[in-house]
Amino acid sequence: MIQIGLFGYGCVGRGLYKALQQTPQLNATIKKIVVKNKLKPRDINHELFAYDKEEILNDREINLVIELIDDADGAFKILTVALQNGKPVISANKKMLANHLEEILLLQKKYNLPVLYEAAVAGSIPIIRSIEEYYNIDTITHINGILNGTTNYILTQCFKEAKTFETALKEAQLKGFAESNPTMDIEAFDPTFKLILLLAHAFGVVVKPEDVLNFGITQLTLFDIQFAKEKKQTIKLIAQAYQTDKGIAAYVLPKFIGEQHPLYNIHEEFNAVEINGSFNDNQLLKGKGAGGFPTAAAVLADIFALSNQYRYPYLKQQLKPVNFINNDHLLKIYVRYATDEQFEAFHFHQILARYDGNAYRYAIGYITIKQLIQAKLNQGKGAFVAEIEETPIQINSGVKIPIKNKLPAVESIH
Ligand code: HSE
């Protein structure tokens, strides 16, 4: 019998509680739930709740700790003590996992206990175990994914329903998709944490979140939406990791993509991961990436896996040095900026087009990943940055694009 000590009873915790009631074949039951807030009304038997983490960590009958709390530092402490006390751990805390991946690998080795976290990446999509079990026989060359449900929901609402950014974000919060601090979603930190986990499993590289390039969607305006629509494209927030001739390129950026792109039709809170391997060619896994039940589905799968003594077989054997990451790689980038200082922060390697209008200004060209990271640390932070697919947008080198009259005046969609 699996006796679970559960930390956290938010959207995913509640989903897990209900899902477990409908899956008696798992032979797993929640013995105790530790939460922070004593005063919050609860919709289930109050006797299950406790407020001191020791009540789970020191309970000898509890043989599995499931950690679904918001606070990454708290989650790491729980994980560490749980392993020390002989309890395997399931976590959905992508921030904690991405920040402490190397230590977690060592702790697992030291205590000879597994930590599983399928729910931490792309919600219900079985991506980590698929990489471990299926794709690593093949050589993965490129992983490309929509890994954040909140931003995909917002982009869908802005593009298809012409809603404002604020309205769409509020809806995503009400539906339980967003992090308690939604900056994690809209500034692309959340998908960066997830990309770090994929990088480790797919390519054997452990990097720190602050070393991975990301730009979010908070600076998106109607002009960018119009720019994409004119070219029969859309914008998606895409996490990517792929092999280049000098290592792995890895980053999370908004990207203009056309109808032929596998991620073009991934809408609402759905996530999708496209995997290219040497032999499989190209595959797409799609599923709900946020929400109580879809995320709980991945936790259930981890409980089942643990009951069969499962551990990730590949990750720990293959770690490569961080210099395996190629931040000198050039990307084709659209930057819509407001001031000269913002533009100069980008240090374009080559400019293909530049437009300076009264209402909006943008440039398109090649920039290295390293330069983009630097730009974000400087004035570039306030610009809207998106990657451009190599072929579909045709720009004549150095020519200003006469689109000003075709577009409505730019308003912020915020
Ligand atoms: N806030 C996250 C998202 C939840 O929107 O994808 C799932 O990790």
Side-chain angles (χ1 to χ4, degrees), residues 94 119-120 147-151 177-179 185 190 194 271 289-291 295:
K94 48 259 159 157
L147 301 182
N148 183 267
T150 302
T151 43
F177 305 152
E179 299 300 299
D185 299 293
D190 174 87
K194 293 165 176 167
N271 283 192
T295 312

Side-chain angles (χ1 to χ4, degrees), residues 6-10 33-38 42 49-52:
L6 174 63
F7 285 92
Y9 193 67
I33 307 174
V34 165
V35 289
K36 266 193 309 209
N37 191 342
K38 283 187 186 177
R42 306 288 172 186
F49 290 93
Y51 307 94
D52 178 355

Side-chain angles (χ1 to χ4, degrees), residues 161-189:
E161 311 294 336
K163 287 188 188 161
T164 66
F165 190 100
E166 265 76 30
T167 306
L169 172 58
K170 269 201 193 97
E171 286 177 9
Q173 288 177 296
L174 285 173
K175 287 172 188 272
F177 305 152
E179 299 300 299
S180 56
N181 172 6
T183 306
M184 291 291 129
D185 299 293
I186 59 181
E187 289 284 9
F189 294 110

Side-chain angles (χ1 to χ4, degrees), residues 338-351:
T339 62
D340 288 343
E341 291 71 36
Q342 242 173 35
F343 169 75
E344 277 152 23
F346 283 90
H347 296 286
F348 275 86
H349 182 82
Q350 183 191 354
I351 293 178

Side-chain angles (χ1 to χ4, degrees), residues 223-371:
F223 173 71
D224 309 307
I225 292 175
Q226 186 69 24
F227 185 87
K229 284 186 173 173
E230 284 215 336
K231 287 156 183 63
K232 299 202 176 353
Q233 298 216 332
T234 190
I235 299 174
K236 294 289 185 189
L237 183 62
I238 299 182
Q240 301 203 55
Y242 50 87
Q243 291 182 357
T244 70
D245 48 2
K246 294 198 193 102
I248 305 291
Y251 51 92
V252 183
L253 290 177
K255 184 168 181 175
F256 290 96
I257 56 172
E259 269 171 14
Q260 82 299 340
H261 195 288
L263 300 178
Y264 183 89
N265 280 316
I266 308 299
H267 300 308
E268 310 288 345
E269 77 272 30
F270 276 91
N271 283 192
V273 188
E274 187 194 356
I275 296 176
N276 290 283
S278 302
F279 306 120
N280 75 45
D281 196 2
N282 173 280
Q283 285 174 313
L284 185 72
L285 303 178
K286 176 188 171 192
K288 288 200 170 169
F293 278 129
T295 312
V299 178
L300 285 184
D302 276 352
I303 299 173
F304 181 68
L306 276 181
S307 70
N308 291 306
Q309 316 298 323
Y310 180 81
R311 285 158 196 233
Y312 298 131
Y314 174 85
L315 175 64
K316 55 189 175 298
Q317 300 159 15
Q318 302 283 337
L319 290 185
K320 295 187 178 68
V322 174
N323 62 13
F324 203 62
I325 294 289
N326 177 10
N327 278 349
D328 292 324
H329 189 63
L330 280 170
L331 303 180
K332 189 171 175 183
I333 293 289
Y334 160 101
V335 178
R336 194 185 35 69
Y337 56 92
T339 62
D340 288 343
E341 291 71 36
Q342 242 173 35
F343 169 75
E344 277 152 23
F346 283 90
H347 296 286
F348 275 86
H349 182 82
Q350 183 191 354
I351 293 178
L352 302 173
R354 192 169 169 189
Y355 178 79
D356 276 329
N358 292 332
Y360 43 83
R361 308 168 75 186
Y362 69 80
I364 291 172
Y366 289 98
I367 314 182
T368 65
I369 294 174
K370 204 188 280 168
Q371 282 167 332

Side-chain angles (χ1 to χ4, degrees), residues 16-29 300 303:
L16 177 66
Y17 181 86
K18 288 179 192 147
L20 272 172
Q21 285 184 318
Q22 292 169 47
T23 44
Q25 67 275 27
L26 255 185
N27 206 16
T29 179
L300 285 184
I303 299 173

